[in-house]
Amino acid sequence: MKQEEFIAIVKQHQKLIFKVCHLYGADEEQRKDLEQEILIQLWLSMERFRGASKLSTWIYRVAINTAITQTKKLNNYLSNLQRIDDTIINLQNDTSDSDHIDLLYRAIQLLGPTDKAMMMLYLDRLKHTEIAHIMGITPSNVATKIARIKNQLSKNINKLK
């Protein structure tokens, strides 16, 4: 694949990549590192894309798998460190829409890596069959997992308020 083609594909799907980085990166530095890793993985594996699914579905899969792998590596590295997220400590009780969205993102941050991915895909309004393909599970399993994740998110939001 030519570099120009790859750049065009990345530009076309940059919002998708941004979402994954935003959900899995705790701060701007981690998001940039994750973005670079996702781009590297996409470049290295682009030749293996055979068109069995939509390109965006395949890019989601590569991005999410990369994010989960990077998250596991980072968590292993930080396993002996106790970190307190200042954004959780400094919650404000403002009711604007952006604060509600921010609260939702913080609640999603408390989910495990796979659950984060499922919720992101669900919030992007992907069909259960597409989510199933990306995550490597059955569509009925997607419905069950999303219901459980919604319950957990509700608990997380109540903890954060």
Side-chain angles (χ1 to χ4, degrees), residues 93-127:
N93 291 327
D94 191 4
T95 58
S96 69
D97 285 344
S98 65
D99 286 341
H100 289 294
I101 292 169
D102 186 50
L103 180 62
L104 175 62
Y105 272 104
R106 284 189 306 230
I108 291 171
Q109 285 291 346
L110 297 175
L111 297 172
T114 304
D115 290 349
K116 279 185 196 179
M118 295 274 292
M119 188 49 51
M120 180 188 62
L121 297 171
Y122 174 77
L123 291 173
D124 275 349
R125 298 187 174 151
L126 269 67
K127 295 177 182 172

Side-chain angles (χ1 to χ4, degrees), residues 45-100:
S45 60
M46 190 60 76
E47 295 297 325
R48 292 192 303 261
F49 177 67
R50 300 288 177 229
S53 62
K54 293 191 310 188
L55 182 59
S56 60
T57 301
W58 181 80
I59 290 173
Y60 259 130
R61 188 173 193 142
V62 171
I64 289 169
N65 287 337
T66 302
I68 289 171
T69 300
Q70 290 300 102
T71 300
K72 287 178 182 177
K73 286 179 184 177
L74 182 61
N75 287 342
N76 287 338
Y77 175 74
L78 298 173
S79 65
N80 295 325
L81 300 177
Q82 295 295 320
R83 293 179 11 143
I84 299 174
D85 187 348
D86 292 335
T87 59
I88 293 175
I89 292 172
N90 296 322
L91 292 177
Q92 297 179 1
N93 291 327
D94 191 4
T95 58
S96 69
D97 285 344
S98 65
D99 286 341
H100 289 294

Side-chain angles (χ1 to χ4, degrees), residues 141-159:
N141 199 356
V142 169
T144 302
K145 285 184 178 284
I146 293 221
R148 289 181 185 154
I149 294 168
K150 284 180 181 180
N151 286 334
Q152 185 60 49
L153 275 178
S154 179
K155 291 176 187 174
N156 290 353
I157 287 171
N158 287 331
K159 285 180 191 176

